[in-house]
Amino acid sequence: TASRPESASNALSFVTQVRRQLGLCRLVGALDAVLDSNARVAPFRILLQVPGSQVYSAIACGATAEEINQHWEWLEQNLLHTLSVFDNKEDIVSFVKGKVKALIAEETSSKLAEQEEDPEKFREALVKFESRFNFPEAEKLITYYSCCCWKGKVPRQGWLYLSINHLCFYSFFLGKELKLIIPWVEVQKLERTSNVFMTDTVRVTTANKERDFSTFLNISEAFRIMEQLADVTLRRLLDNEIFELDPGLQDPTQITKRDLEARAQNEFFRAFFRLPRKEKLHEVVDCSLWTPFSRCHTAGTMYTSDSYICFASKENGCCTVIIPLREVIGIEKMEDTSLLPNPIIVSIRSKTAFQFIELKDRDTLVENLLQRFKEVNSSNSLAFGSMCALGDDEPACLGTEASHGKERSECEKENNYLLSAEALRSDFHQSGMPGLDFGKSREQIKESLWDDHFVEYGRTVCMFRTEKIRKLVAMGIPESLRGKLWLLFSDAQTDLASHPGYYAHLVEASMGRCCMATEEIERDLHRSLPEHPAFQSEMGIAALRRVLTAYAHRNPKIGYCQSMNILTSVLLLYAKEEEAFWLLVAVCERMLPDYFNHRVIGAQVDQSVFEELIKEQLPELAEHMKDLTALASISLSWFLTLFLSIMPLESAVNVVDCFFYDGIKAIFQLGLAILEANAVDLCNSKDDGQALMILSRFLEHVKNEESPLPPIGNHHAFFSDDQEPSPVTEIANLIHDSYEKFGDHSVEQIERMRYKHRIRVLQSHEDTTKQNVLRVVIPDVSILPEDLEELYDLFKREHLIRCYWESGSAVPERHDPSRPYAEQYRIDVQQFAGLYRLLSPWTCGEHTDLLAHRTFRLLDENMDRLIEFKGLASCLDVMYNGEMNEKIKLLYKLHIPPALTENERDSQSPLKNPLLSTSRPLVIGKSNGDAVDYQKQLKQMLKDLAKEKDTKTEKELPKMSQKEFIQFCKTLYSLFHEDPEENDLYQAIATVTTLLLQIGEVGQRSISLGSGSDEFTEDLQPEASASDQDAVFTDTVKTPHKDSQPSPETEGDWTVSFEHILASLLTEQSLVNFFEKPLELKPKLENAKLNQYSLRTNGMSCHELKIPV
């Protein structure tokens, strides 16, 4: 290396360096390229050197002398003249390095922004992606990143491409190319982690491997996009039973990076404010909101969607506001001042106004809000006022509620079912019982506290939600306010006000109809809080029936699931019937998404999240209970019924209070508090059964001493015979502990964990499906279990590959998680043909596809043009492990209907060989050199067949016509192509074919002559008597007996039976050797794993694939 000092001072020197192209420098350049795929060995550099030090710091680099001179001029103009102000060289070095790092950071940021918006760069990346991986055009590239892929301890720098169905990585270094393709649907875990070399990596785990990716310029963005792609793709392909994509993501080929980022924001927005799934987020704007209770403006973020304006403070838990647009009466701009910059006022019906300031682009925001405000009002042309407010001092709210109630009552008159006008609690209120005075006084204190809170923070759904209201909720909502507050906290009141008469019409439409859901509902009606007097009467049972049946009618995808009855019965205790219906809608469709369906995916995801929280928050308990699955199964009912099924009712309703205010977070933290309270006993437990007893006994003794209601036993709780007195736990204390110790998890953290664990749960369901399918198939085949497992993976992947690149509803319908395990995945004829080319030992060149289609028709017994895995496995089992007669029978079936169609039967015969002439006698060659006339051989063959037929009980196969036989021979000829014994096999099959053609012609003549059996006997063997003829021969040449089944062949047609063909083939040792030689499925499976994608993307034919030996 040659260097030349350009400038120096007393403190430091700047040096330009020219790199000579020597072998060592080439090695250095190669190492640079390992660490940075964009690295090129820069021949010119500027170095910073401190006199007396051997350390040089790189300041700039350039590819040409002109470029490095430009950097030098910038240093002279902007940096060198400022160095004189520093007193020592350490300060100078620190300043120079800081300045350069700032410039690099600024340049990198601007380049990223430019790259994101630069279509030319994306187009260039797209061309490389298509050329490197050769996917069809339908495989849309979403985005790409420069990063390292770790192979052990060695990083490979390259490019990570994220497409709609795959994660792909490409690297080329020192002549070695690395291509990695991971379908999103095969990802089992996606997480940010660290290894011994890198502190922040993205780990992608599949069934067989873990892959680490690092050195992203923006790892948070990359991981967020990967997370979204994995979630969307897995749910689209594996969870299409219940999952519905956002409208912008319905067509995978139209998904963009911006769409995925918007989806992530939408998911967080809906989860944070617990809004309906249809809500689409439009603007996210930093602003400040005037909060009268603190007498100041609170900094935060405004979120606007189709029907809501929401606000969340920067400080977590300080203040949130939800404003439905149907509650708004005006949105206007105020005068802009230095104290109130860019303010707007949002006025609502309850004579309250919200003042937002510091809004960027205020004019556009207000314009958009007014447009959506008009749309909301026009969609509710019959505006029945606002939602009900709490208290008697709100005449506007009470008046509108009265008119709303009047309208609903008119709707109810139109149907025959009288809906409950009041909560069941009021009809079945138990009073006058001793010992309840203390509870009533506590209720009055709580009511007073809530009244004071309403005055200061508001009493409608638009109230300010702060830490203070959370504390009031944790104490337990008063009985008189519970139902109304549930409606406000869940925003079910907005749905109620927006759909007048909807529930009454649903009841009218659904009652009296019989389906599986109604049968299950009837079965569970009397199991719903049977200990409560409200459900010991027909009034309560009838209301419960109407709500559950109406919901099943509204949402047939969910219908009815167990535990919905328990939840609904409690809702009916505290809310009117129609209100209880909309609360149930809010719980099932917003607050507990995917909980109530065939596979309860949502509940299992939260169970998995709960396991992670146990490991994080209660490490000692997690360490003791190595397998947390038992705790998860025990706690499943906690989540499904919100503790209503395992706690005394008067205590469990306090849990429901917290749930409606804080969502699923309240259940997580309460579950952790319960485990912590029992941690010592659980650590000492010997088995899962004892752990269940400990938790059940604890929950049975969670009391609510402040409740004004008499204690009600829990019919659903687990009762133990333990006579030991158990300590009583106060529910308010338990809830307080849960908030104090475990309440620090944000909604965003929980949603992130849900993303991660949803992948695991869906893949767990896929594994369960696979194991159940294999359990059914393994006893019926001889394929090794490990080979059968790989075969299933190929079968499933073939289905998914078709789903990736085909549009239309027919493809996803082939996967139905609600069907029995063996029927969940099915493939069509094109998919089967692809697998046949890869796996079948009977490859016949151009004839292979024809044979594959015939095999498919044979396996498609119900003729729905789809086959299941069992059909493929049984077919390959015969080909690889069957006896010769089983293989010949399969081939025989492939050449008669329904496998063989009329068009194929009529195709021209390829058998023009003179060897097939029937005009000359055929001599069969023997290994010892002797020759035997074929008539003697045929006679012996027919005798053997007669003996076999006498003992045979299986249904006889139809006879084969001459056209079908010609196709059969064509297949045999194709099978022998390129076999090492090809010549011997051709000679043998020519011999057998000639023999069978003569048999068929003799039979044809015999039928034509009517009594030609004697004539045939004389032609075949003059010295033989008629008694020597056997039954098989007779069946072949005579007219069927009147008691036998009518023959499908026309009189005089040429036919040959399966028995004739089998016996003829058995006479040739080379044919026997061919069909009985051992075949290995494993090499084909290994090859298929390597070539399954290329076969579909490149259109490879079978002979182009490299088959491992």
Side-chain angles (χ1 to χ4, degrees):
T1 302
S3 62
R4 177 172 55 89
E6 291 285 349
S7 176
S9 68
N10 294 330
L12 75 167
S13 300
F14 287 94
V15 179
T16 57
Q17 182 187 62
V18 181
R19 172 174 276 171
R20 293 176 181 169
Q21 298 301 316
L22 300 177
L24 178 61
C25 291
R26 291 194 185 98
L27 176 60
V28 174
L31 292 175
D32 288 343
V34 172
L35 299 176
D36 182 2
S37 64
N38 294 322
R40 297 293 182 269
V41 180
F44 299 93
R45 296 195 298 181
I46 298 176
L47 305 178
L48 171 66
Q49 180 191 23
V50 179
S53 172
Q54 297 300 314
V55 178
Y56 289 80
S57 300
I59 297 300
C61 63
T64 62
E66 291 77 10
E67 186 179 353
I68 205 67
N69 284 333
Q70 289 178 1
H71 292 315
W72 183 258
E73 290 172 3
W74 186 92
L75 284 172
E76 288 181 329
Q77 295 171 10
N78 298 281
L79 196 64
L80 292 181
H81 67 276
T82 64
L83 301 183
S84 59
V85 300
F86 296 98
D87 296 330
N88 57 66
K89 57 186 179 183
E90 286 78 11
D91 291 343
I92 295 177
V93 172
S94 178
F95 171 76
V96 173
K97 287 184 176 180
K99 185 72 174 177
V100 172
K101 285 180 180 178
L103 289 170
I104 291 172
E106 183 180 349
E107 179 71 10
T108 301
S109 177
S110 61
K111 280 187 175 180
L112 281 174
E114 179 185 348
Q115 177 179 322
E116 192 63 31
E117 302 298 328
D118 190 350
E120 288 300 323
K121 290 187 177 180
F122 187 84
R123 193 175 297 115
E124 180 183 345
L126 180 60
V127 170
K128 290 180 179 178
F129 170 72
E130 292 174 345
S131 63
R132 287 167 176 171
F133 298 100
N134 204 25
F135 286 127
E137 290 183 7
E139 186 65 20
K140 178 177 170 55
L141 177 66
I142 302 298
T143 189
Y144 60 100
Y145 299 96
S146 172
C147 69
C148 281
C149 176
W150 290 81
K151 187 175 182 181
K153 298 179 180 180
V154 180
R156 293 291 297 265
Q157 181 68 29
W159 291 96
L160 183 70
Y161 298 92
L162 305 180
S163 64
I164 54 174
N165 297 303
H166 300 87
L167 178 153
C168 304
F169 179 80
Y170 180 86
S171 175
F172 185 83
F173 173 64
L174 294 178
K176 290 186 178 180
E177 184 179 60
L178 173 64
K179 282 186 185 180
L180 181 65
I181 299 175
I182 303 176
W184 291 117
V185 79
E186 293 182 13
V187 172
Q188 296 193 340
K189 190 185 291 185
L190 184 66
E191 57 188 340
R192 286 179 71 171
T193 182
S194 60
N195 59 30
V196 293
F197 302 101
M198 299 297 298
T199 57
D200 202 358
T201 65
V202 175
R203 176 167 295 168
V204 181
T205 305
T206 60
N208 302 317
K209 280 188 179 178
E210 288 183 350
R211 299 280 187 180
D212 286 348
F213 300 90
S214 65
T215 63
F216 293 88
L217 289 175
N218 189 341
I219 191 169
S220 296
E221 178 198 285
F223 183 74
R224 186 168 62 250
I225 298 298
M226 293 165 74
E227 193 176 55
Q228 286 293 315
L229 278 169
D231 185 68
V232 168
T233 307
L234 262 76
R235 298 183 75 180
R236 174 168 56 88
L237 296 176
L238 303 184
D239 193 26
N240 52 347
E241 173 196 11
I242 195 70
F243 176 61
E244 294 180 1
L245 282 169
D246 297 336
L249 304 175
Q250 293 288 354
D251 183 1
T253 61
Q254 301 302 315
I255 295 175
T256 64
K257 178 182 173 183
R258 188 175 288 109
D259 291 332
L260 293 171
E261 290 174 332
R263 178 180 185 261
Q265 246 185 348
N266 260 316
E267 293 278 340
F268 167 75
F269 164 68
R270 290 191 291 248
F272 187 86
F273 295 103
R274 294 187 297 283
L275 299 179
R277 182 168 184 80
K278 63 182 178 61
E279 283 301 307
K280 181 180 178 183
L281 183 64
H282 292 289
E283 291 104 359
V284 179
V285 186
D286 287 336
C287 65
S288 293
L289 170 66
W290 174 255
T291 48
F293 55 88
S294 60
R295 300 179 183 276
C296 67
H297 283 89
T298 300
T301 306
M302 175 192 285
Y303 302 84
T304 67
S305 65
D306 295 333
S307 307
Y308 290 86
I309 301 172
C310 301
F311 174 85
S313 60
K314 297 283 187 185
E315 183 182 347
N316 188 29
C318 176
C319 175
T320 58
V321 176
I322 300 174
I323 307 173
L325 285 180
R326 64 169 290 110
E327 278 299 288
V328 174
I329 58 175
I331 302 172
E332 54 187 335
K333 294 179 283 188
M334 290 178 61
E335 183 182 354
D336 186 6
T337 67
S338 58
L339 293 176
L340 298 175
N342 296 327
I344 68 169
I345 295 290
V346 178
S347 304
I348 62 173
R349 297 179 188 274
S350 58
K351 301 178 181 178
T352 307
F354 294 91
Q355 182 190 76
F356 297 91
I357 64 170
E358 299 174 346
L359 290 158
K360 293 182 179 179
D361 200 8
R362 178 182 63 163
D363 294 344
T364 303
L365 176 65
V366 171
E367 183 181 345
N368 293 337
L369 284 174
L370 288 172
Q371 178 63 32
R372 289 195 288 274
F373 173 61
K374 291 177 183 177
E375 291 172 1
V376 168
N377 284 337
S378 63
S379 64
N380 296 280
S381 54
L382 296 176
F384 296 103
S386 74
M387 47 207 69
C388 172
L390 300 172
D392 297 329
D393 55 346
E394 293 286 330
C397 292
L398 289 175
T400 53
E401 172 67 15
S403 65
H404 190 184
K406 181 180 178 181
E407 177 65 26
R408 287 203 299 272
S409 66
E410 290 176 359
C411 294
E412 289 162 14
K413 289 178 183 177
E414 298 175 3
N415 63 66
N416 301 323
Y417 302 99
L418 182 62
L419 307 182
S420 299
E422 297 294 334
L424 293 179
R425 181 187 64 86
S426 58
D427 292 331
F428 294 90
H429 182 66
Q430 299 182 13
S431 59
M433 297 189 68
L436 298 182
D437 292 339
F438 172 74
K440 289 181 179 178
S441 65
R442 292 291 298 175
E443 283 289 291
Q444 292 169 356
I445 294 173
K446 288 182 183 179
E447 289 173 1
S448 176
L449 290 173
W450 277 97
D451 286 338
D452 293 342
H453 185 275
F454 294 146
V455 171
E456 190 172 4
Y457 294 87
R459 63 179 66 247
T460 68
V461 71
C462 305
M463 67 175 68
F464 291 98
R465 307 182 190 207
T466 65
E467 194 62 35
K468 184 176 179 181
I469 195 171
R470 179 177 281 114
K471 291 177 180 178
L472 286 174
V473 171
M475 292 168 56
I477 297 175
E479 294 281 310
S480 59
L481 300 178
R482 179 164 276 136
K484 294 298 182 185
L485 282 172
W486 285 359
L487 284 167
L488 297 186
F489 292 157
S490 65
D491 196 33
Q493 186 73 59
T494 299
D495 289 333
L496 174 66
S498 303
H499 300 84
Y502 176 82
Y503 174 67
H505 288 301
L506 265 185
V507 171
E508 181 71 23
S510 61
M511 293 304 290
R513 293 192 176 187
C514 185
C515 62
M516 184 172 293
T518 57
E519 292 174 6
E520 293 176 352
I521 289 169
E522 289 297 324
R523 188 168 59 245
D524 287 347
L525 283 176
H526 294 278
R527 304 175 187 172
S528 311
L529 294 187
E531 66 281 358
H532 197 285
F535 298 99
Q536 295 169 0
S537 72
E538 184 54 35
M539 179 188 295
I541 294 295
L544 182 60
R545 177 187 293 113
R546 288 192 293 270
V547 173
L548 292 174
T549 306
Y551 186 79
H553 189 72
R554 163 191 165 86
N555 193 340
K557 282 191 174 182
I558 292 178
Y560 169 78
C561 294
Q562 284 189 347
S563 78
M564 287 173 66
N565 59 320
I566 299 172
L567 176 61
T568 306
S569 60
V570 174
L571 298 178
L572 282 167
L573 290 178
Y574 292 96
K576 299 174 185 177
E577 186 175 325
E578 186 175 8
E579 294 172 344
F581 170 79
W582 286 110
L583 282 170
L584 182 64
V585 170
V587 172
C588 294
E589 298 175 14
R590 296 207 301 267
M591 304 186 74
L592 295 178
D594 298 340
Y595 264 58
F596 303 98
N597 57 49
H598 174 67
R599 300 191 295 174
V600 291
I601 293 291
Q604 292 186 55
V605 170
D606 283 348
Q607 288 299 291
S608 193
V609 171
F610 189 52
E611 286 183 40
E612 182 177 342
L613 291 173
I614 294 172
K615 294 175 184 176
E616 178 186 313
Q617 300 286 340
L618 303 171
E620 292 182 4
L621 178 62
E623 181 66 24
H624 175 76
M625 303 189 74
K626 297 291 185 184
D627 184 9
L628 294 175
T629 308
L631 279 183
S633 61
I634 292 171
S635 61
L636 181 61
S637 61
W638 303 358
F639 290 83
L640 283 173
T641 66
L642 308 178
F643 289 92
L644 291 168
S645 64
I646 36 83
M647 262 190 199
L649 179 62
E650 65 273 12
S651 302
V653 290
N654 284 30
V655 178
V656 180
D657 295 342
C658 298
F659 168 76
F660 275 117
Y661 184 77
D662 268 324
I664 195 62
K665 173 187 171 183
I667 307 301
F668 281 129
Q669 62 195 34
L670 185 64
L672 291 171
I674 291 169
L675 293 181
E676 188 204 36
N678 294 275
V680 175
D681 291 338
L682 289 172
C683 287
N684 294 328
S685 63
K686 298 177 181 178
D687 52 40
D688 297 343
Q690 190 176 357
L692 173 61
M693 292 280 289
I694 291 167
L695 292 172
S696 298
R697 185 173 56 192
F698 175 84
L699 291 167
E700 288 170 20
H701 292 84
V702 175
K703 304 300 181 183
N704 186 358
E705 300 296 340
E706 299 178 356
S707 173
L709 299 177
I712 297 176
N714 196 316
H715 173 75
H716 300 279
F718 179 88
F719 291 96
S720 66
D721 297 328
D722 197 342
Q723 300 300 317
E724 265 186 45
S726 298
V728 173
T729 304
E730 178 63 34
I731 184 64
N733 296 335
L734 190 61
I735 291 174
H736 178 268
D737 288 347
S738 74
Y739 275 103
E740 286 293 317
K741 297 177 180 178
F742 308 108
D744 55 350
H745 285 91
S746 67
V747 172
E748 186 175 13
Q749 289 173 315
I750 291 175
E751 288 303 305
R752 278 292 172 86
M753 286 191 280
R754 278 177 162 178
Y755 275 127
K756 180 171 73 172
H757 290 285
R758 187 180 292 114
I759 294 174
R760 191 189 70 78
V761 169
L762 287 174
Q763 294 293 12
S764 175
H765 275 273
E766 291 300 300
D767 289 342
T768 301
T769 298
K770 177 171 148 182
Q771 295 306 319
N772 280 281
V773 172
L774 295 179
R775 192 177 297 118
V776 170
V777 175
I778 283 175
D780 298 336
V781 298
S782 302
I783 300 174
L784 295 174
E786 56 268 25
D787 290 346
L788 199 63
E789 188 172 346
E790 289 192 12
L791 180 61
Y792 179 88
D793 291 338
L794 289 168
F795 180 88
K796 177 182 170 182
R797 189 178 298 127
E798 189 67 30
H799 158 82
L800 292 171
I801 288 174
R802 194 68 176 272
C803 292
Y804 295 156
W805 302 315
E806 279 199 5
S807 58
S809 59
V811 175
E813 287 173 2
R814 296 171 196 160
H815 174 232
D816 185 356
S818 64
R819 295 174 67 92
Y821 289 116
E823 302 174 16
Q824 287 189 15
Y825 284 105
R826 295 175 292 168
I827 58 175
D828 63 16
V829 63
Q830 294 301 326
Q831 295 167 309
F832 178 82
L835 286 175
Y836 188 94
R837 287 194 294 272
L838 288 168
L839 298 171
S840 173
W842 295 349
T843 50
C844 320
E846 296 180 358
H847 198 65
T848 302
D849 279 347
L850 190 62
L851 203 60
H853 281 67
R854 292 176 187 168
T855 307
F856 181 88
R857 287 193 291 270
L858 179 66
L859 297 175
D860 183 21
E861 295 178 357
N862 59 359
M863 302 183 70
D864 64 351
R865 300 184 181 182
L866 297 170
I867 66 165
E868 300 157 9
F869 173 71
K870 188 174 182 179
L872 173 67
S874 60
C875 172
L876 290 176
D877 185 52
V878 172
M879 293 179 181
Y880 280 95
N881 303 311
E883 300 290 338
M884 179 177 175
N885 63 321
E886 294 174 319
K887 295 178 181 178
I888 299 303
K889 181 178 288 187
L890 176 58
L891 278 171
Y892 185 90
K893 289 179 179 179
L894 295 179
H895 295 84
I896 58 175
L900 190 75
T901 62
E902 285 293 330
N903 293 336
E904 293 175 335
R905 186 189 294 140
D906 295 337
S907 63
Q908 187 176 8
S909 169
L911 305 178
K912 304 285 187 181
N913 195 303
L915 283 173
L916 302 183
S917 170
T918 59
S919 62
R920 62 183 180 83
L922 181 66
V923 176
I924 301 174
K926 295 293 181 180
S927 58
N928 59 4
D930 297 336
V932 178
D933 191 84
Y934 83 98
Q935 283 92 349
K936 293 181 180 179
Q937 184 76 27
L938 178 58
K939 180 182 177 184
Q940 185 60 43
M941 176 189 76
L942 294 177
K943 285 183 178 180
D944 294 340
L945 284 175
K947 294 177 183 177
E948 181 180 345
K949 186 175 180 183
D950 289 339
T951 60
K952 188 174 178 181
T953 58
E954 186 180 345
K955 183 180 178 182
E956 189 174 352
L957 291 172
K959 292 183 174 62
M960 186 179 281
S961 68
Q962 188 175 43
K963 291 179 179 179
E964 293 165 352
F965 176 70
I966 288 171
Q967 294 299 321
F968 178 82
C969 296
K970 181 179 179 181
T971 299
L972 289 178
Y973 267 77
S974 302
L975 283 178
F976 304 148
H977 182 59
E978 294 186 357
D979 189 275
E981 306 295 329
E982 183 176 357
N983 291 334
D984 292 342
L985 289 168
Y986 280 166
Q987 179 62 37
I989 196 60
T991 302
V992 170
T993 303
T994 302
L995 173 61
L996 288 168
L997 284 172
Q998 290 181 350
I999 292 174
E1001 288 182 357
V1002 170
Q1004 185 180 19
R1005 290 200 305 271
S1006 175
I1007 293 174
S1008 300
L1009 293 173
S1011 59
S1013 59
D1014 294 335
E1015 180 184 345
F1016 174 75
T1017 305
E1018 293 171 2
D1019 291 342
L1020 179 65
Q1021 186 97 356
E1023 67 273 16
S1025 64
S1027 61
D1028 291 330
Q1029 300 176 27
D1030 54 56
V1032 175
F1033 177 73
T1034 304
D1035 286 346
T1036 305
V1037 299
K1038 288 185 179 179
T1039 304
H1041 191 270
K1042 64 181 180 179
D1043 295 330
S1044 64
Q1045 293 294 326
S1047 172
E1049 293 84 14
T1050 308
E1051 184 176 326
D1053 281 354
W1054 186 102
T1055 59
V1056 66
S1057 69
F1058 165 70
E1059 289 81 6
H1060 289 150
I1061 291 177
L1062 177 60
S1064 301
L1065 292 172
L1066 289 171
T1067 62
E1068 292 293 330
Q1069 190 60 44
S1070 58
L1071 294 176
V1072 173
N1073 293 342
F1074 176 83
F1075 283 106
E1076 291 192 346
K1077 67 182 177 184
L1079 299 172
E1080 289 290 332
L1081 177 59
K1082 189 176 292 292
K1084 288 276 192 175
L1085 292 171
E1086 294 297 326
N1087 173 74
K1089 286 194 291 186
L1090 297 174
N1091 290 284
Q1092 192 172 19
Y1093 265 81
S1094 59
L1095 181 69
R1096 296 300 304 275
T1097 57
N1098 299 336
M1100 279 188 173
S1101 61
C1102 180
H1103 63 273
E1104 292 175 310
L1105 300 177
K1106 295 180 180 178
I1107 310 295
V1109 179

